Amino acid sequence: MLKGTNFFKSIQWKLVVIYALLILVAMQVIGVYFVRSLEKQYITNFSKSVEDRAGLVAYNVGKEFDKTGDDEASKRQLSQSLGQLLSEFSNGSTSRNDILEVQIIDQDSIIQATSDNENQSAVGQRATNSLIKKAQATSSTRTDTVLDPETEDKIRIFAVPVTSERDGVTTGMIYVRASMESIYSQMQQVTRILATGTVIALVITSILGVLLSRTITRPISDMRRQAIEMRRGNFSRKVKVYSDDEIGQLARSFNELTDELLEANATTEAERRKLTSVLENMTDGVIATDRTLRVILMNDQAKDIVGADEASVVGTNLKDLLALGDDFMIPEDGTMPPRLLDFSSEDELFLVRAFFSPVKKHSGPITGMIVVLHDVTEQEQVEQDRREFVANVSHELRTPLTTMRSYLEALAEGAYQDEELAPRFLETTQNETERMIRLVTDLLQLSKMDSKEYKMNKVRFDYIQFLNEILDRHDMTKPERIRFRRKIMKRKVYIRGDQDKLIQVADNILTNAIKYSPEGGTITVRTMLRAKRIVISIKDEGVGIPKANLQKIFERFYRVDKARARKIGGTGLGLSIAKDVVSAHGGDIWAESEWGRGTTIYFTLPYEVIEEVDAG
């Protein structure tokens, strides 16, 4: 056998197993038939022997019953005669140990004698065995096989009727209990002999099977070695031809195949190296199909784009793989415009531009298609953000500019002479100017924070005291209809950060909470410590934010209610600035809200030291 091959997985082993199974099945069939027949013969002979002797006893007992009178002397004589008959029956059996007990029963089902010395108390009692009753009812011999409740040995029981010679009437019954263990002991010996013969036959068959199977497995093993060498790229080795039979012809064909593969492999390997080099060094995904648009090849970049491995998509139709639609087909001229494919999910934008190039022979039909996939997500995202930003800024500036132009035109046309209208127009113009200044200031700050060169002035300070000072300032300027509830810890929590920027974070969130709080509303400020971070939450009792809009409130210029936000002076950049500042400090910011029940803004900051406040 070839080195490293498991014998129990080889053809040689299978042949040996087949031979052994054939012998085993044959021996088992013969053994079962022989043992069953022998067992049946043993039981038949045993039963016949016991029945014959029981019949002889029944004959003698019948004579004794016929000549017995009703006087006491006759009864004593009957008892002695029955005891002697039982003794002769037990001693004359095939094996003295076979007969367990013999009972003589009269026609009234009274036990007159028993051979079992330990069961002499049964004499004079009525027999209740169902087999005896059946034998009395039919006046025929009845047999049955039962298990001894104590030893669980098989016992053969006989009920032989005693017939009177004078009138042929059944005058009693002979009840015999005989053990069959001697029969089954002999059967076990026969079975052991058969098992030993089977084992010897299996050993001889296995040895012969190994010797015979080698004539088949030797050339096959040689071809297997050659196949392994061919897989390693060695085509110089040849298979040895042992005979002119079918296996020998297979060996010759194998050698011819080796020569042909050597030539074809050289050509294929050169082409494969070229193709592999090109595909592996491409930054774009490449998919190759046949003329029916079934995928036959794809590189690693394409696997990442479509989100599947090559094994699972090979054979898949290109329309289904890229969701091109049922109307997609290869035009006759082979020219196809690129397509923008959207692989986006709910959480991530992913856009791919697909370029199609048909594959065809110089003057023949199209035989396939090459699809090049280029990831344009970043480009499209930048372009989309740019368009949205320009549109938002333009919209935010156009509204106050339009208002200012209208009021200034009115003033220029003479409204400045109206003592009632002129101050109102000027106040509105001033408010819109301040709104534009705030918008431009916020935009400049966001632009600075987006710049990689922007640096914060971070210092170490107690954030709890810092937060209380901010709340004190807002408490003095907030409307009387709003009240603050502070649930702030009595500790000193030192962080490292830019105080000006962190003031802006708290101001933006508190300002929004005050703007959207109803009359008599409460703003709750709470602090907690979790996993080396201080968590600050600011909760209002306003109208809340719908769940669909909750993840978008930190985007620039995003407002849930744009009309109300402009009315109260919002620019739509406050929470976006807060998010950038918190992120720059290594923290997180998020919101929780339920429509109609208020909003809670959470943000975290990493802390350095915690100090307990002295109660004294």
Side-chain angles (χ1 to χ4, degrees), residues 501-570:
K501 301 302 178 186
L502 293 176
I503 288 175
Q504 192 173 10
V505 171
D507 284 348
N508 288 345
I509 299 175
L510 286 169
T511 300
N512 280 346
I514 292 172
K515 288 177 182 179
Y516 292 101
S517 290
E519 187 74 25
T522 300
I523 297 174
T524 304
V525 181
R526 183 191 303 269
T527 60
M528 298 169 285
L529 296 177
R530 289 181 183 173
K532 287 292 182 181
R533 292 171 181 261
I534 180 172
V535 182
I536 302 95
S537 66
I538 300 176
K539 181 180 184 303
D540 62 48
E541 296 179 346
V543 294
I545 302 171
K547 184 176 292 185
N549 305 100
L550 196 59
Q551 299 299 327
K552 301 179 180 179
I553 63 174
F554 296 102
E555 296 178 4
R556 299 176 184 182
F557 294 108
Y558 184 82
R559 300 183 180 94
V560 178
D561 187 350
K562 296 185 178 181
R564 183 184 177 193
R566 291 195 182 96
K567 182 177 179 181
I568 60 180

Side-chain angles (χ1 to χ4, degrees), residues 279 282-290 293-299 301-303 305-306 316-319 321-324 328 330 336-341 343 352-359 368-374:
L279 292 177
M282 290 186 65
T283 57
D284 294 332
V286 177
I287 301 176
T289 71
D290 58 15
L293 296 180
R294 299 288 177 181
V295 177
I296 59 176
L297 177 68
M298 62 192 303
N299 64 353
Q301 289 77 10
K303 298 174 192 176
I305 290 174
V306 302
T316 304
N317 194 290
L318 186 67
K319 299 178 184 179
L321 182 64
L322 301 182
L324 298 175
F328 179 85
I330 304 176
M336 299 184 64
R339 288 196 178 192
L340 185 64
L341 307 178
F343 290 97
V352 176
R353 193 173 300 279
F355 300 88
F356 304 92
S357 177
V359 178
M369 177 174 289
I370 299 295
V371 183
V372 179
L373 305 177
H374 181 65

Side-chain angles (χ1 to χ4, degrees), residues 11-26 201-202 204-216:
I11 296 178
Q12 194 172 1
W13 166 252
K14 293 178 182 177
L15 291 174
V16 172
V17 170
I18 291 173
Y19 293 150
L21 287 177
L22 289 175
I23 295 299
L24 182 61
V25 170
L202 289 176
I204 296 174
T205 301
S206 299
I207 296 173
L208 292 176
V210 171
L211 296 176
L212 293 174
S213 62
R214 284 183 180 179
T215 60
I216 300 175

